[in-house]
Amino acid sequence: MEKRQELYAGKAKSVFATDDPDHLILTFRDDTSAFDGERMESLARKGMVNNRFNAFIMEQLAAAGIPTHFTQRLSDTESVVKKLDMIPVECVVRNIAAGGLVKRLGVEEGKELNPPTFELFLKNDALHDPMINESLAETFGWATPEQLAEMKALTFRVNDVLKRLFADGGLLLVDYKLEFGLFKGEIVLGDEFSPDGCRLWDAETREKLDKDRFRQGLGGVIEAYEEVGRRIGVGFD
Ligand code: ATP
Ligand code: TYD
């Protein structure tokens, strides 16, 4: 497959066309952002770690019957994916209270959420990814009720698969964000699943092993991503 022109450079990944109109190449860069891009830093090895982490997770999800855009890892920092028409809505599931939920509702960080919660956010940096709901998504045409129902069902199926996978590595999947898109009319999981877009805590000590290390200036960010990867079986060499 031939890599062609860059179509888009996001905050952490770049998207390239290929000679196949149905496929793109995603490159995972070392760039790391937080607070809607207010804080930007380059963290050595992050692109490689997240590309390998994401490939491993997408393969696990596909094996569990979840439709994903992931096709193959091309190199340390590049993967081939199906070209999706992205739905500009982010789906968030929370198993344990942290981050935005704690700030917004004043609940205690670490509280177990039973049943897990499901939230929607509009993918719009200029508006700081505001929280939305099904009604707003339908009215403004971001997604149909049928698409939203499918996205919600898939997001919870991902929870079943990944909660168990991380638990086997002694980790708690606290929360995570998924993005979906359409491929020939079908809802497919897109973007990435890596410690950049989820929270993972050590099950014993509750040590944070995800992007909160960057957000909170705790250091050891990529070392933590690698530690998580090793515990669930991601190969980094
Ligand atoms: P954010 O960090 O809020 O997700 P961003 O645009 O800065 O936004 P990046 O991950 O840097 O995010 O960029 C990757 C872009 O590629 C995102 O806009 C994402 O929605 C898009 N994307 C991911 N997978 C696909 C796909 N299979 N087809 C088309 N676009 C995709
Ligand atoms: P949340 O606690 O709402 O956000 P924040 O901590 O940034 O205030 O996020 C819940 C989870 O979803 C967390 O693991 C981060 C992830 N997420 C993203 O990666 N990008 C996003 O745009 C959003 C809304 C969430």
Side-chain angles (χ1 to χ4, degrees):
M1 179 167 293
E2 203 182 296
K3 193 171 174 180
R4 298 242 168 111
Q5 78 276 17
E6 185 176 71
L7 300 175
Y8 175 76
K11 295 189 293 296
K13 300 192 291 302
S14 301
V15 182
F16 292 84
T18 69
D19 53 341
D20 173 352
D22 283 341
H23 288 88
L24 299 170
I25 292 175
L26 292 185
T27 69
F28 289 70
R29 308 195 313 270
D30 288 345
D31 299 324
T32 312
S33 70
F35 314 117
D36 299 316
E38 232 173 73
R39 187 148 153 245
M40 298 279 274
E41 245 176 73
S42 175
L43 298 177
R45 298 199 315 285
K46 196 191 76 146
M48 178 276 287
V49 168
N50 278 0
N51 186 38
R52 286 176 181 262
F53 198 109
N54 175 64
F56 178 87
I57 297 284
M58 290 283 173
E59 279 167 357
Q60 299 286 320
L61 295 176
I66 290 159
T68 90
H69 68 158
F70 181 78
T71 305
Q72 70 174 125
R73 193 170 60 78
L74 261 193
S75 70
D76 262 358
T77 56
E78 300 168 300
S79 286
V80 181
V81 297
K82 288 177 181 150
K83 179 179 182 161
L84 306 184
D85 287 327
M86 295 304 289
I87 294 173
V89 168
E90 306 190 324
C91 298
V92 170
V93 159
R94 300 178 194 267
N95 295 305
I96 298 176
L101 185 79
V102 167
K103 261 194 227 139
R104 205 170 347 113
L105 300 183
V107 290
E108 195 188 337
E109 185 182 71
K111 183 183 163 53
E112 194 186 328
L113 302 171
N114 195 8
T117 61
F118 179 76
E119 293 158 44
L120 298 174
F121 295 87
L122 179 65
K123 204 172 148 57
N124 185 320
D125 277 345
L127 298 176
H128 307 291
D129 291 349
M131 193 178 191
I132 58 167
N133 61 28
E134 275 96 340
S135 165
L136 291 165
E138 181 184 2
T139 294
F140 291 106
W142 297 316
T144 67
E146 295 73 26
Q147 290 167 347
L148 291 163
E150 178 72 8
M151 287 157 63
K152 182 175 180 180
L154 287 171
T155 304
F156 276 119
R157 277 176 62 195
V158 167
N159 202 33
D160 292 337
V161 177
L162 296 188
K163 251 193 337 194
R164 193 166 316 131
L165 175 77
F166 288 115
D168 288 346
L171 296 157
L172 295 169
L173 177 59
V174 173
D175 57 30
Y176 58 92
K177 176 266 298 179
L178 301 181
E179 292 180 26
F180 294 89
L182 291 168
F183 186 73
K184 301 182 196 290
E186 185 200 5
I187 294 276
V188 171
L189 176 62
D191 204 47
E192 72 179 275
F193 191 102
S194 76
D196 268 2
C198 69
R199 289 191 170 90
L200 292 160
W201 295 350
D202 181 276
E204 293 288 313
T205 64
R206 299 217 156 191
E207 185 187 7
K208 295 177 166 136
L209 297 170
D210 53 63
K211 195 173 176 180
D212 270 350
R213 298 200 72 82
F214 177 73
R215 294 190 191 95
Q216 299 174 10
L218 300 174
V221 180
I222 301 310
E223 290 78 3
Y225 289 21
E226 285 171 320
E227 164 73 15
V228 168
R230 271 193 297 274
R231 288 205 207 174
I232 60 169
V234 181
F236 289 120
D237 24 57

